[in-house]
C-alpha cells in the first residue's frame, strides 16, 4: 500500500511535504484517556500517520459513553476502551503502531510510561489526574496537550512546550472539586470539537508549523461559537523533582468499597456516611448517620467529623470522594473508605429512600 497515496492530501501542502510526513512517522504520542476527547484525537493522529500511539485507559465502555465516544459501537459495551480504540486504529491505518495500555495512569507508572513517548496528550476529565500528568511531564520533560470540557465550553492549551508555562502556572491551586461530564452533563459534539483542537496542536508541534498554544489558553463556547485566547506566563515556582513527585503521588491507594457491602452499617452509630457533593445535586441520599459537607468546604469544616468513627465517603460517581479520602487522610483520619460509584450506584439500593 503506497504511503504517498494515503497521505497525498497533506504531503502536497508546502508546510508538510515528504519531510514533514517523515517527522510524523517517527513520532510517538501517548493519549491518556480514550473517552470523548480521545475519540476525537485518536482517529486524526492515526490518519495523519503518527508513527506510534499509546492509548492509556483502564475503563470499559458503557452505554452512556456512546453519545460522545463515537469510535465505539453498541456491541463493544463492557469491553476495554484502550483495546477497542486500538482495533479502530488498526482498521483505519494499519501503518501506525499502537499500544493499548489498560491500566490506570498513576504515580507508580507515569514517569516510566511518559519516558517512552515524545508528546503526552491529556484526554481525561479528572482534575486530579491532570495535575499528575503535568507533574510527570515536568519530570520527564515532555509537552502536555491539555483539553477540558464543562458543559458547552471547552479549553485547550499546551504546557511545558520548549520549557514554556505548565498547567500549574495557569492553575496553581489544586481545586479538585470541579464536576466531570458525568456529573455536569455534556453535548457530544462539544467534546469532539475540543478533541480535534488538541489533535491539531499535536500535529503542529510535530511538524514545526503554525503557532502552538504555549503560554496561551483557547476557550471555545459551542453555543454561540465565540472563542477567546488568553495569555499566561511561566511561574518560577512551578517545578517538581522526581523525588518530590514520588513522595507526592506514591501514597497509599484510596480504599474503595461497594455500598452493597456496607448496607448493614447504615444504623451503626460508630459509622458516618459523608456526602461531599454540593447541596443542589441529585439523587438525594437519606441515611440516618449521614452528614453533607461539600468538598470545597471540607477542609474548613473538618472539625464536624469524629476521627473515632469509621467514615464512608461518597459523591456523585466516586471521583470527588477519592479526593476527600486523601484530604481526610492528611488530617490523620485512620478509618476511611470511598464508596465506589457514589450516589449514582447507591440509589439503586435505596430507591425507597431517594427523592429524585
Amino acid at each position: 500500500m503506497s504511503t504517498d497515496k494515503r497521505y497525498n492530501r497533506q504531503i502536497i501542502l508546502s508546510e508538510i511535504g515528504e519531510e514533514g510526513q517523515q517527522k510524523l512517522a517517527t513520532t510517538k504520542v501517548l493519549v491518556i484517556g480514550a473517552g470523548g476527547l480521545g475519540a476525537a484525537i485518536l482517529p486524526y493522529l492515526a490518519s495523519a500517520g503518527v508513527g506510534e500511539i499509546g492509548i492509556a485507559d483502564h475503563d470499559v465502555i458503557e452505554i452512556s459513553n456512546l453519545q460522545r465516544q463515537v469510535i465505539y459501537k453498541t456491541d463493544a459495551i463492557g469491553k476495554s476502551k484502550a483495546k477497542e480504540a486500538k482495533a479502530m486504529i488498526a482498521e483505519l491505518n494499519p501503518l501506525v503502531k499502537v499500544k493499548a495500555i489498560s491500566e490506570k495512569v498513576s504515580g507508580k507508572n507515569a514517569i516510566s510510561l511518559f519516558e517512552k513517548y515524545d508528546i503526552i496528550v491529556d484526554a481525561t476529565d479528572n482534575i486530579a489526574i491532570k495535575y499528575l500528568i503535568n507533574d510527570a511531564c515536568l519530570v520527564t520533560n515532555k509537552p502536555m496537550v491539555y483539553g477540558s470540557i464543562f458543559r458547552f465550553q471547552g479549553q485547550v492549551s499546551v504546557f511545558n512546550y520548549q520549557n514554556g508555562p505548565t498547567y500549574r502556572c495557569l492553575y496553581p491551586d489544586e481545586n479538585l472539586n470541579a464536576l466531570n461530564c458525568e456529573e455536569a452533563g455534556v453535548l457530544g459534539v462539544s467534546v469532539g470539537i475540543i478533541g480535534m483542537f488538541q489533535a491539531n496542536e499535536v500535529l503542529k508541534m510535530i511538524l514545526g508549523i503554525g503557532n502552538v498554544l504555549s503560554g496561551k489558553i483557547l476557550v471555545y463556547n459551542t453555543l454561540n461559537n465565540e472563542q477567546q485566547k488568553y495569555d499566561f506566563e511561566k511561574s518560577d515556582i512551578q517545578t517538581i523533582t522526581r523525588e518530590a513527585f514520588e513522595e507526592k503521588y506514591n501514597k497509599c491507594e484510596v480504599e474503595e468499597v461497594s455500598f452493597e457491602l456496607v448496607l448493614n452499617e447504615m444504623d451503626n452509630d460508630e459509622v458516618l456516611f459523608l456526602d461531599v457533593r454540593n447541596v443542589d445535586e441529585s439523587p438525594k441520599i437519606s441515611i440516618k448517620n449521614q452528614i453533607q459537607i461539600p468538598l470545597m468546604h471540607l477542609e474548613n469544616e473538618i472539625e464536624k467529623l469524629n476521627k473515632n468513627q469509621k467514615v464512608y465517603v461518597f459523591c456523585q460517581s466516586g471521583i470527588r470522594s477519592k479526593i476527600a479520602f486523601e484530604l481526610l487522610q492528611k488530617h490523620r483520619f485512620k478509618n476511611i473508605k470511598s464508596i465506589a460509584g457514589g450516589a449514582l450506584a447507591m440509589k439503586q439500593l435505596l430507591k425507597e429512600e431517594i427523592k429524585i
Side-chain angles (χ1 to χ4, degrees), residues 141-188:
N141 193 27
K142 308 291 182 179
M144 167 186 175
V145 181
Y146 159 81
S148 72
I149 286 283
F150 183 75
R151 294 177 177 157
F152 296 99
Q153 181 174 282
Q155 299 182 352
V156 185
S157 188
V158 176
F159 302 119
N160 201 38
Y161 177 65
Q162 297 179 346
N163 201 33
T166 74
Y167 182 65
R168 289 184 182 275
C169 298
L170 183 62
Y171 297 117
D173 299 320
E174 294 195 26
N175 179 16
L176 303 178
N177 58 354
L179 300 178
N180 66 358
C181 65
E182 182 176 358
E183 300 167 346
V186 69
L187 190 64

Side-chain angles (χ1 to χ4, degrees), residues 6 37 65 85 129-130 225 248-249 254 274 279-280 305 320 336 342:
R6 178 179 288 273
L37 293 171
N65 298 151
I129 192 67
K130 291 180 185 295
N225 290 322
K248 178 177 177 63
Y249 292 107
V254 175
L274 172 61
V279 293
D280 59 347
L305 306 179
R320 282 171 287 172
I336 327 156

Side-chain angles (χ1 to χ4, degrees), residues 29-32 42 52-56 97-101 117:
V29 178
L30 174 65
V31 179
I32 303 174
L42 290 166
E52 184 172 335
I53 300 174
I55 309 168
K97 182 179 178 182
V98 187
K99 183 172 184 180
I101 305 158
Y117 294 89

Side-chain angles (χ1 to χ4, degrees), residues 277-337:
R277 298 177 298 163
N278 297 328
V279 293
D280 59 347
E281 291 185 62
S282 293
K284 302 299 181 185
I285 301 294
S286 178
I287 299 175
K288 174 188 171 184
N289 46 344
Q290 172 187 335
I291 185 173
Q292 184 170 31
I293 305 176
L295 180 60
M296 66 179 73
H297 304 309
L298 182 57
E299 190 148 30
N300 292 331
E301 299 182 21
I302 208 160
E303 71 280 352
K304 293 181 179 180
L305 306 179
N306 183 349
K307 290 184 179 179
N308 295 321
Q309 286 182 303
K310 182 187 296 184
V311 181
Y312 292 115
V313 190
F314 69 91
C315 60
Q316 190 75 340
S317 62
I319 295 174
R320 282 171 287 172
S321 62
K322 294 179 182 179
I323 299 164
F325 179 101
E326 294 178 355
L327 180 61
L328 293 173
Q329 196 175 57
K330 186 179 76 172
H331 284 270
R332 302 187 185 283
F333 282 74
K334 300 295 184 185
N335 201 347
I336 327 156
K337 288 183 173 62

Side-chain angles (χ1 to χ4, degrees), residues 12 65 74 267 294 304:
I12 62 176
N65 298 151
T74 301
D267 295 321
K304 293 181 179 180

Side-chain angles (χ1 to χ4, degrees), residues 125 190 256:
D125 64 353
S190 302
E256 282 193 297

